[in-house]
């Protein structure tokens, strides 16, 4: 089996979500894979924003196939399509003010294997990558982050690969920004990036809040999910708007992004546990 670096594996953690509404307008956004631990069971989910899927009748995403050795076949793809009721496939976050939803996808993997003899290659985040209180207390105000997704719908369609970008946290993650379970990042957050995972990743070492160098100790944490950002309007006002899906046609732009993004804290994913336990009798 081919050994992939951590960054290479992270590139298989996301999926480009293509949608269509009742007016036949096409859009795209970002989702990522998450193995939610519920008691002694793991429930594989795709996580994205509510505004990516709400009002959408059709949806699709493309998975990468795996060879007999368990290695990714970059140019071999398995399309997954929903021709009706795409919005109904998703479980909405129980808090109406949190723009997050989840789709159980284990059945899709099983259908690919049993009906089409296809093994799919992907990598998942899990509960252990959500920072706890102690880990959060050790995160400084401006830390290096990665955001993986499909800005402006861009991707490597031949190899089914996302775009990886760097930025920094811009507010203290231990605080709830403006009283919400959010923090802010300094990164270009373009349409199509909605639902992108925001990851704290230090390769080979990092400097802690006290200035101590932790040589040879990397860090990997799922900090949150991009959903919105402040934008400057043509009238000079600043508004916070959800990062829109990419509409697949030319549109006039009347807002200018501030290169900041609002991030839902990753512990909001754990709120799905009682909802899924109730829905599926786990």
């Amino acid at each position: 089996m081919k050994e992939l670096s951590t960054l290479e594996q992270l590139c298989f953690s996301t999926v480009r979500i293509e949608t269509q509404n009742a007016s036949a307008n096409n859009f795209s956004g970002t989702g990522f894979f998450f193995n939610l631990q519920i008691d002694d069971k793991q429930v594989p989910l795709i996580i994205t924003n509510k505004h990516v899927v709400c009002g959408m009748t059709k949806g699709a995403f493309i998975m990468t196939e795996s060879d007999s050795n368990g290695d990714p076949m970059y140019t071999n793809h398995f399309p997954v399509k929903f021709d009706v009721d795409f919005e109904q496939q998703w479980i909405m976050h129980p808090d109406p003010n949190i723009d997050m939803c989840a789709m159980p996808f284990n059945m899709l993997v099983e259908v690919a294997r049993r009906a089409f003899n296809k093994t799919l290659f992907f990598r998942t985040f899990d509960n252990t990558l959500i920072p706890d209180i102690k880990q959060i207390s050790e995160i400084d105000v401006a830390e290096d982050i990665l955001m993986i997704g499909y800005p402006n719908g861009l991707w490597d369609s031949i190899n089914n690969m996302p775009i990886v970008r760097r930025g920094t946290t811009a507010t203290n993650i231990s605080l709830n920004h403006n009283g919400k379970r959010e923090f802010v990042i300094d990164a270009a957050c373009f349409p199509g990036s909605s639902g992108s995972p925001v990851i704290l990743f230090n390769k080979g070492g990092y400097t802690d809040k006290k200035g101590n160098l932790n040589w040879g100790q990397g860090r990997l944490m799922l900090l949150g999910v991009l959903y919105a950002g402040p934008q400057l309007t043509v009238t000079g006002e600043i508004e916070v708007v959800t990062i829109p899906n990419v509409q697949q046609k030319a549109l006039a732009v009347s807002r200018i992004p501030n290169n900041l993004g609002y991030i839902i804290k990753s512990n909001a994913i754990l709120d799905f546990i009682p909802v899924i336990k109730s829905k599926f009798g786990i």
Side-chain angles (χ1 to χ4, degrees), residues 25-269:
N25 295 315
N26 297 313
F27 304 87
S28 70
T30 300
F32 63 92
F33 302 108
F34 191 95
N35 255 352
L36 184 63
Q37 186 75 38
I38 303 179
D39 299 331
D40 60 344
K41 295 181 172 61
Q42 287 191 338
V43 180
L45 303 171
I46 298 175
I47 304 290
T48 190
N49 298 138
K50 293 174 181 176
H51 76 261
V52 170
V53 303
C54 285
M56 301 298 163
T57 56
K58 296 182 179 181
F61 44 85
I62 294 175
M63 304 286 291
T64 298
E65 295 180 17
S66 174
D67 65 18
S68 58
N69 294 321
D71 294 325
M73 302 170 66
Y74 285 86
T75 57
N76 286 40
H77 306 154
F78 184 82
V80 179
K81 296 183 179 181
F82 299 86
D83 291 329
V84 292
D85 300 330
F86 185 60
E87 180 182 345
Q88 282 64 50
Q89 307 301 318
W90 298 83
I91 301 170
M92 301 299 158
H93 192 280
D95 186 336
N97 296 314
I98 293 182
D99 190 356
M100 184 186 291
C101 60
M103 175 197 287
F105 76 97
N106 192 52
M107 184 176 295
L108 302 177
V109 176
E110 286 300 306
V111 168
R113 184 176 63 85
R114 295 179 182 180
F116 298 93
N117 196 30
K118 301 289 186 182
T119 303
L120 305 182
F121 190 93
F122 55 91
R123 290 292 181 260
T124 61
F125 298 98
D126 59 34
N127 301 45
T128 66
L129 294 178
I130 295 176
D132 58 26
I133 294 175
K134 181 178 183 299
Q135 289 173 313
I136 289 175
S137 70
E138 296 171 348
I139 297 174
D140 216 335
V141 173
E143 297 273 10
D144 293 334
I145 56 99
L146 300 176
M147 185 166 61
I148 306 175
Y150 308 88
N152 287 334
L154 298 173
W155 62 321
D156 179 352
S157 61
I158 300 298
N159 296 295
N160 196 25
M161 285 284 99
I163 305 296
V164 182
R165 290 170 297 151
R166 293 186 179 274
T168 63
T169 54
T171 61
N172 191 334
I173 190 174
S174 67
L175 303 177
N176 287 336
H177 184 68
N178 282 332
K180 299 179 181 180
R181 292 167 66 183
E182 302 174 3
F183 63 96
V184 182
I185 62 170
D186 184 353
C189 302
F190 294 104
S193 297
S194 297
S196 293
V198 174
I199 304 153
L200 174 65
F201 179 63
N202 302 121
K203 183 179 180 180
Y206 64 95
T207 303
D208 64 21
K209 290 174 70 172
K210 297 179 180 179
N212 300 314
L213 178 61
N214 294 274
W215 185 254
Q217 300 180 39
R219 288 191 299 182
L220 175 62
M221 302 179 199
L222 176 63
L223 298 185
V225 185
L226 172 71
Y227 87 99
Q231 295 187 354
L232 184 68
T233 69
V234 291
T235 59
E237 297 177 344
I238 293 178
E239 296 180 357
V240 175
V241 298
T242 56
I243 303 296
N245 306 341
V246 173
Q247 189 167 358
Q248 304 303 313
K249 64 179 182 179
L251 293 175
V253 177
S254 57
R255 291 187 174 94
I256 304 170
N258 279 18
N259 281 1
L260 297 173
Y262 285 16
I263 312 301
I264 303 167
K265 292 184 178 181
S266 57
N267 61 16
I269 296 173

